[in-house]
Amino acid sequence: MESQREVAQDAAPLKERWAAWARTIPRPRRCTACGGRRVWWNGWRRRGASIWVDGTVVHVPKVACRRVRCAACGARWTLRPPGLAPHKHYQLDVVAGAPLPPIRCALPVAAAFRGRTVARWISGSPAPAALLQRLAEIRPAYRAAAPGTPSSSRPRHALAERATEVLTLFEALGAALGAEPPGLRAVLERWDCVPSYAAPPCPILCPLLPGDPGATRGHHRRVAADDDPTRDDERAIQLALFRYGVIAELAERRGELAAGETVTLVAEIAAREHWCPGRGSVQVAERTVYAWARRYRQGGLEALGPRRRRDSGTRRVISDRILERAIALRKELPKRWTSTLIDILRREGSLHGEPSFHRSTLDRHLDRRGMSRRQLRVEAESPRTIKMRFPSFGDLWVGDYHHGPPVLAPDGRATTAKLGAFIDHTTRFPVADRWYLAEDLASLRDTLLRALLRWGAARKVYVDRGAVYRAEQLAYSLDRIDCHLVHSRAYYSQGRGVIERWWQLADAFEHEIRLRPELVTIHDLNRFWEAWREERYVHEIHSDLGRTPAEALAGVVPKPIEPAVARQLFLVRADRTVHRKDGCVSVEGKRFLCESFLRGRKVQVRFDPNDLASVEIFREGKRVQTARPQPLNATPERPPEKTERPTPSVDYLALVRRDYDQRLLEQARPLAYAELKLDAGFDVERFQVVVVELAGLAPGVTTPRELAAFWETFGPLPEDLVRIATEHAVRLHGRGRHPRIYLHAIQTLVLAHWQHPERKEPRS
């Protein structure tokens, strides 16, 4: 103790010089983290230092250092006087490098040991010789202790680890300086170590020792607000308030307590039962009360809260190789359980030689890398949604159908009512809404007509991809009034959130309707809905608008379209054929009378399903007439007067026959001019046999008779001519036809031969 007090007295001038420096240093103008100008003083921090003064190591305790805080980003750092190390582990190079000139070369070595804990006994060593002597005593004493020796009399293993750390630093110092500290090799030999000088680590960021240029400003400990170890979560705030409640009496009476009263008050606080959130009734030790009181005096209520772990967020069990392999397996199949990933890693041998870990540990690291099953599912489902707002009324109408309560149909059966509605996106006002018995084009047409005849046309209409909204007539009709129809993506209702939120109002109305003892009609349902909508929605403040939809609509000037134009827009179109006898077309079970000249023709009928007083008849895209329902007991039309048939001006059949004979002669002309000679053995019987065989005629009574009559008229004939003509007729008409077909061919050749008996066809 006397030696330590003397060392402290020797460092008193240096300590006073540092204190004067701390009082006169100006406040930094800018933050070192964000560059902001809102930098303020943030109290003091007392630090200890071991420095080299005149060849000896001097320990200077409780050096006052100014603290600075940035109000913009929350970064905090300490302004240290020249020569005061920012961390205790930098004192190692001071102690170990005392006998080695020049000491500044050891600075790169200190950077390699940033973040490690340093043994307190290093600071108390007055000289490097004593440090080496202490290191020489640690390892042999630890080895000589028997396994059964109590832990209290046995050197702690942590002490041996710290000694090994100092020896490693000595090796690095020797490599950096090119020289070996005196006595180091003897110590290493006793520790069974061989010096292996490695390359010096990375250079340090700021000078730390006295005399170094630029050492007038301390190195800040935290460079960003995220590095602040103070927790600000709900649990930390509850614990800080609990701890303050424990020491509140001690903190409020600070300065009022006489000697000995503080000890009594702390003992009373420690003897009480205190209610801790999440734990229940607890007792606090006196030492803990003193510690909390000291922390409150130094940093206020914020200092009472728990701090983050220094190793928070780091991986101590799972290696980079295992984590990357798990991420690759999760990418292959995002639905894989984490337990399945661990099983795959175990079966493929990736976990061989690795420390075991729990499933939740891998879950936590996968979640930090954005590879949890939930995160992958969210990213794969849909992109991030955006919020849209339109400046004026009519920029966008959102439409949809909602299935509501059962109602009584006109035929007496129960059916589900459907609410068709369109809401203006800007004012959230329902421009048209009504309950119907069916979700079809007729109900959609009625809803749109109510909106157009009251407010005018919108610029865009946004609907889903239901069958009623995908009708071509709807898009065509809206395009005629410069209104663009937009369909949402299939199975994606987020874009129609305006009307989907409005359906909650319809659900509340439906619950009230279902309480009625009897089913209501569609007419009564619309009466109740009109009152419900006005009282519970239109004149209620909208959370998104900050006012009622009626107030948002107050400045809107309606611009309704003409009723005649509106009626023509949404007429249903259907193709019909006018009946040949009564001249009517059938529409929705009713018959409409058309003009007589349209009987049997296809026409297009355009009609209003809700108003069948008349229909429009179109022919080839042009309007022909307005058809009325077929009258009953009407006077029938007179039949048309018969007119005399004009005398035929041409014998069409004779012309056809003439052309046919001409074509036949042209085809058989080369055969007719051949040299033909009569054969005495070719008589009528032989003629019949040849024609029947070549033409494939069926034997009977009629065929021989016709062939004999032909022979009597034109015979005798050459056999070659008969064969040539019959074969030509077979090529033209086929076998088994009527005998006159083949006889006509023979007759044509005979007549042609008789007309030009001497003509010869030139040879090619």
Side-chain angles (χ1 to χ4, degrees):
M1 295 293 295
E2 295 296 334
S3 61
Q4 293 182 2
R5 188 177 296 108
E6 292 176 0
V7 172
Q9 292 177 357
D10 294 340
L14 180 61
K15 186 175 181 180
E16 293 178 359
R17 186 165 65 252
W18 281 348
W21 177 88
R23 290 191 298 268
T24 58
I25 183 174
R27 186 180 64 189
R29 295 184 177 181
R30 291 184 178 273
C31 174
T32 58
C34 66
R37 295 180 178 271
R38 300 172 59 188
V39 180
W40 311 100
W41 294 118
N42 192 33
W44 296 77
R45 171 168 291 185
R46 298 184 180 277
R47 302 297 300 273
S50 296
I51 62 175
W52 182 38
V53 178
D54 298 332
T56 60
V57 176
V58 179
H59 177 64
V60 184
K62 298 183 179 180
V63 179
C65 303
R66 296 297 299 268
R67 290 278 293 169
V68 187
R69 182 178 183 274
C70 177
C73 66
R76 304 174 185 178
W77 66 94
T78 303
L79 300 180
R80 299 175 179 83
L84 181 63
H87 301 286
K88 276 191 174 183
H89 53 260
Y90 287 123
Q91 299 170 12
L92 286 174
D93 62 353
V94 178
V95 177
L100 300 175
I103 190 59
R104 295 180 187 176
C105 297
L107 294 179
V109 181
F113 296 88
R114 183 172 303 175
R116 295 189 182 182
T117 305
V118 181
R120 295 183 179 179
W121 52 267
I122 297 180
S123 304
S125 301
L131 176 61
L132 293 176
Q133 182 65 27
R134 185 66 182 275
L135 293 176
E137 296 173 356
I138 292 175
R139 184 64 174 271
Y142 186 76
R143 277 185 173 182
T149 305
S151 59
S152 58
S153 60
R154 186 177 181 181
R156 290 182 302 172
H157 183 61
L159 190 63
E161 291 182 352
R162 292 171 181 173
T164 306
E165 179 181 342
V166 175
L167 288 175
T168 307
L169 177 60
F170 273 125
E171 287 193 78
L173 284 171
L177 303 176
E180 184 177 304
L184 175 60
R185 182 169 295 276
V187 175
L188 293 177
E189 290 177 355
R190 298 188 64 179
W191 278 66
D192 298 334
C193 297
V194 179
S196 56
Y197 296 145
C202 59
I204 202 165
L205 299 179
C206 64
L208 302 175
L209 298 180
D212 289 334
T216 57
R217 182 164 299 180
H219 179 72
H220 61 274
R221 181 178 180 181
R222 305 183 187 98
V223 296
D226 295 340
D227 297 333
D228 190 356
T230 304
R231 288 172 48 187
D232 57 353
D233 55 282
E234 188 67 23
R235 176 61 180 169
I237 295 175
Q238 290 180 357
L239 288 177
L241 294 176
F242 162 73
R243 293 172 180 177
Y244 176 75
V246 174
I247 65 169
E249 186 177 357
L250 184 62
E252 293 173 358
R253 298 179 59 184
R254 180 186 177 189
E256 301 177 1
L257 299 175
E261 294 182 357
T262 302
V263 178
T264 304
L265 181 58
V266 170
E268 294 177 357
I269 294 175
R272 300 172 188 168
E273 294 285 341
H274 304 276
W275 181 263
C276 179
R279 296 181 57 187
S281 181
V282 296
Q283 281 188 327
V284 182
E286 295 183 8
R287 181 177 179 180
T288 304
V289 175
Y290 281 116
W292 288 354
R294 181 175 63 256
R295 289 168 60 179
Y296 179 76
R297 289 194 304 268
Q298 295 176 354
L301 185 63
E302 184 180 5
L304 292 177
R307 293 176 174 268
R308 297 188 182 94
R309 292 180 50 169
R310 293 185 178 181
D311 58 352
S312 178
T314 60
R315 286 182 280 107
R316 298 177 294 276
V317 178
I318 301 178
S319 61
D320 293 341
R321 180 180 62 85
I322 297 299
L323 182 59
E324 294 300 330
R325 178 56 180 161
I327 291 175
L329 293 174
R330 177 61 61 81
K331 287 181 178 180
E332 293 176 1
L333 184 61
K335 293 184 178 181
R336 272 177 178 159
W337 297 348
T338 305
S339 59
T340 304
L341 299 181
I342 297 176
D343 188 62
I344 294 175
L345 294 174
R346 179 181 61 82
R347 293 179 184 276
E348 70 181 10
S350 299
L351 297 181
H352 181 69
E354 297 285 342
S356 61
F357 53 86
H358 197 267
R359 175 196 55 79
S360 61
T361 304
L362 182 58
D363 266 333
R364 184 172 62 254
H365 291 299
L366 289 175
D367 182 67
R368 289 173 179 171
R369 294 285 295 272
M371 287 295 154
S372 64
R373 288 195 302 158
R374 178 179 300 177
Q375 186 66 23
L376 293 176
R377 183 173 63 253
V378 169
E379 294 178 357
E381 285 178 354
S382 61
R384 181 170 56 92
T385 59
I386 62 174
K387 185 176 181 61
M388 300 184 65
R389 188 177 296 276
F390 296 88
S392 59
F393 175 85
D395 288 343
L396 180 68
W397 286 356
V398 183
D400 200 0
Y401 273 93
H402 177 75
H403 288 217
V407 295
L408 191 63
D411 57 0
R413 60 183 178 87
T415 184
T416 302
K418 287 83 175 177
L419 176 60
F422 285 91
I423 291 184
D424 179 67
H425 194 283
T426 303
T427 62
R428 303 297 198 274
F429 187 85
V431 294
D433 57 323
R434 192 168 180 82
W435 292 93
Y436 300 95
L437 295 176
E439 181 182 348
D440 52 12
L441 189 60
S443 61
L444 176 61
R445 174 184 176 278
D446 182 72
T447 308
L448 274 176
L449 282 179
R450 291 175 181 273
L452 296 176
L453 294 175
R454 177 66 179 87
W455 302 103
R459 294 177 180 85
K460 289 184 180 180
V461 173
Y462 186 62
V463 293
D464 59 16
R465 303 187 67 84
V468 65
Y469 294 117
R470 287 187 285 111
E472 296 180 356
Q473 181 180 349
L474 176 63
Y476 173 76
S477 301
L478 292 178
D479 185 71
R480 291 183 60 186
I481 55 176
D482 297 331
C483 180
H484 184 53
L485 181 64
V486 181
H487 293 281
S488 64
R489 196 170 61 196
Y491 307 104
Y492 186 78
S493 60
Q494 286 83 343
R496 304 186 308 277
V498 174
I499 198 167
E500 293 291 343
R501 172 64 178 84
W502 195 61
W503 293 143
Q504 298 180 11
L505 179 72
D507 291 336
F509 173 75
E510 179 182 350
H511 297 329
E512 300 296 333
I513 288 293
R514 290 181 181 272
L515 290 177
R516 302 184 68 84
E518 298 180 356
L519 293 178
V520 298
T521 62
I522 195 69
H523 175 69
D524 294 334
L525 186 66
N526 280 309
R527 287 196 312 107
F528 290 131
W529 170 255
E530 183 179 4
W532 178 274
R533 179 199 60 194
E534 291 293 328
E535 296 298 329
R536 295 301 310 277
Y537 179 76
V538 175
H539 296 285
E540 293 284 341
I541 295 179
H542 198 283
S543 60
D544 195 20
L545 299 177
R547 53 180 177 172
T548 65
E551 293 174 351
L553 194 70
V556 176
V557 179
K559 299 178 181 179
I561 63 177
E562 295 295 333
V565 177
R567 185 178 184 277
Q568 293 293 331
L569 283 177
F570 298 99
L571 291 179
V572 179
R573 305 182 182 190
D575 293 332
R576 296 287 188 272
T577 300
V578 182
H579 199 273
R580 298 176 61 88
K581 294 184 178 181
D582 59 9
C584 295
V585 292
S586 179
V587 177
E588 299 289 333
K590 293 185 178 182
R591 300 185 67 81
F592 294 84
L593 185 61
C594 300
E595 296 291 343
S596 297
F597 70 90
L598 294 177
R599 289 187 301 172
R601 296 188 177 185
K602 289 187 177 182
V603 295
Q604 185 184 69
V605 183
R606 301 181 184 181
F607 61 94
D608 183 357
N610 299 326
D611 183 13
L612 293 177
S614 62
V615 296
E616 303 293 334
I617 306 298
F618 284 77
R619 170 73 176 172
E620 296 180 354
K622 297 181 180 180
R623 181 180 176 277
V624 177
Q625 70 169 119
T626 300
R628 305 288 179 179
Q630 183 183 20
L632 299 178
N633 301 325
T635 303
E637 294 183 354
R638 294 181 179 180
E641 297 180 358
K642 295 183 178 180
T643 58
E644 295 182 359
R645 181 176 298 177
T647 304
S649 59
V650 62
D651 189 355
Y652 177 64
L653 295 179
L655 295 177
V656 172
R657 183 64 192 185
R658 185 194 63 183
D659 293 340
Y660 175 75
D661 293 341
Q662 184 67 27
R663 182 169 61 86
L664 188 60
L665 289 174
E666 292 296 332
Q667 294 176 355
R669 188 179 299 276
L671 302 176
Y673 297 152
E675 295 182 358
L676 302 176
K677 296 180 181 180
L678 295 176
D679 187 0
F682 189 73
D683 53 3
V684 61
E685 294 180 358
R686 181 64 179 169
F687 170 73
Q688 293 177 356
V689 173
V690 171
V691 174
V692 170
E693 291 179 355
L694 293 179
L697 299 177
V701 180
T702 306
T703 301
R705 185 182 303 169
E706 292 186 2
L707 294 178
F710 183 83
W711 180 267
E712 292 178 0
T713 304
F714 296 96
L717 297 174
E719 184 179 358
D720 294 339
L721 185 143
V722 173
R723 288 182 176 275
I724 292 173
T726 304
E727 292 175 354
H728 182 69
V730 169
R731 285 196 300 269
L732 292 178
H733 306 287
R735 293 168 56 85
R737 304 297 295 274
H738 197 275
R740 294 179 183 178
I741 295 177
Y742 308 104
L743 295 177
H744 182 271
I746 298 173
Q747 178 185 351
T748 302
L749 292 183
V750 171
L751 295 176
H753 186 73
W754 287 353
Q755 292 177 3
H756 307 281
E758 302 297 335
R759 185 175 179 181
K760 303 292 183 179
E761 188 71 17
R763 295 182 180 179
S764 56

